[in-house]
């Protein structure tokens, strides 16, 4: 893949994440200073499509990323979004909590609000909690009846899926995309392990469509890990 094609793939991924609409060559040329013609961008998109990084919905002239396209983006272009305002909000939430369990639930709810995804957490002691389920049902990615059924199944099986994840999650964020995602091939998720107290540890993460904002969501999960791992006098140990 040549440098210009890499740039076009990056732009298609980011524009599709932003708009949820297929991205056309004319849009790329009009919005970004590539100094090439729409025909050149269109040809590069065809090359990326033949290589499996993009696909073209039959009803649209634009392209959308494939699972392989998202994986290439994560491997080469991930840049964590600033989370200063999120840090202040999470610190405020944690300061108002009266116990470790209450803190975990409030952090999960706040992560769901901040990300627009579903936030989930599970403890090694056996508890689980999720928040922001309505966020997913409202996304255009899940408007198809079959995908909605898959989404409902995810929440029915949430506890078992989270339990199975424990052995694979470390204190570094992991992104699980599509066919590698235990929640289903239509989803992506970001998880990390935390230790909120000597008696309370587990995993926390975000579940969304493959079109999720990885730069923001990986940053948010890292931030939650950092704050939860800090000793706090407000925790009941």
């Amino acid at each position: 893949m040549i440098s210009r094609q890499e740039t076009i793939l990056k732009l298609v991924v980011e524009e599709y994440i932003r708009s949820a609409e297929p991205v056309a060559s004319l849009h790329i040329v009009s919005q970004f200073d590539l100094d090439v013609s729409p025909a050149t961008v269109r040809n590069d998109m065809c090359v990326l499509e033949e290589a499996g990084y993009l696909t073209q919905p039959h009803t649209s002239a634009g392209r959308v990323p494939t699972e392989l396209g998202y994986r290439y983006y994560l491997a080469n272009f991930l840049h964590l979004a600033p989370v200063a305002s999120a840090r202040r909000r999470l610190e405020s939430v944690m300061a108002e909590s009266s116990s470790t369990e209450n803190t975990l639930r409030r952090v999960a709810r706040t992560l769901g609000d901040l990300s627009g995804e579903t936030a989930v957490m599970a403890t090694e002691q056996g508890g689980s909690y999720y928040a922001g389920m309505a966020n997913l049902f409202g996304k255009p990615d899940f408007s198809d009846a079959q995908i909605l059924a898959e989404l409902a199944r995810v929440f029915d099986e949430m506890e078992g899926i989270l339990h199975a994840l424990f052995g694979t999650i470390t204190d570094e964020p992991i992104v699980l995309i599509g066919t590698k995602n235990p929640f289903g091939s239509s989803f992506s998720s970001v998880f990390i392990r935390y230790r909120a107290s000597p008696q309370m540890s587990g995993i926390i993460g975000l579940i969304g469509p493959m079109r999720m904002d990885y730069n923001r969501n990986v940053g948010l999960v890292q931030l939650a890990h950092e704050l939860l791992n800090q000793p706090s006098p407000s925790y009941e140990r």
Side-chain angles (χ1 to χ4, degrees), residues 73-197:
Y73 179 89
L74 282 170
N76 295 277
F77 299 115
L78 184 69
H79 56 281
L80 302 189
V83 290
S85 60
R87 176 184 293 274
R88 291 191 293 271
R89 185 168 170 188
L90 282 168
E91 286 176 338
S92 175
V93 162
M94 293 173 68
E96 295 168 359
S97 299
S98 59
S99 68
T100 304
E101 183 176 355
N102 182 254
T103 294
L104 292 172
R105 289 175 176 266
R106 289 172 66 96
V107 166
R109 286 199 300 271
T110 305
L111 282 181
D113 291 342
L114 290 169
S115 65
E117 316 291 1
T118 293
V120 297
M121 53 78 58
T123 67
E124 291 187 282
Q125 293 70 27
S128 64
Y129 178 75
Y130 54 87
M133 183 169 61
N135 291 338
L136 296 193
F137 282 101
K139 291 181 182 290
D141 313 74
F142 302 124
S143 58
D144 179 84
Q146 184 175 351
I147 297 179
L148 278 174
E150 185 179 6
L151 186 56
R153 176 196 59 79
V154 165
F155 290 105
D156 285 342
E157 301 175 4
M158 179 72 74
E159 192 165 342
I161 296 172
L162 289 173
H163 180 75
L165 272 176
F166 264 99
T168 65
I169 307 302
T170 68
D171 59 359
E172 293 292 332
I174 182 171
V175 182
L176 305 168
I177 300 178
T179 54
K180 300 296 185 181
N181 193 322
F183 297 97
S185 60
S186 300
F187 302 89
S188 284
S189 55
V190 186
F191 275 91
I192 200 166
R193 184 173 290 273
Y194 67 85
R195 180 169 293 277
S197 77

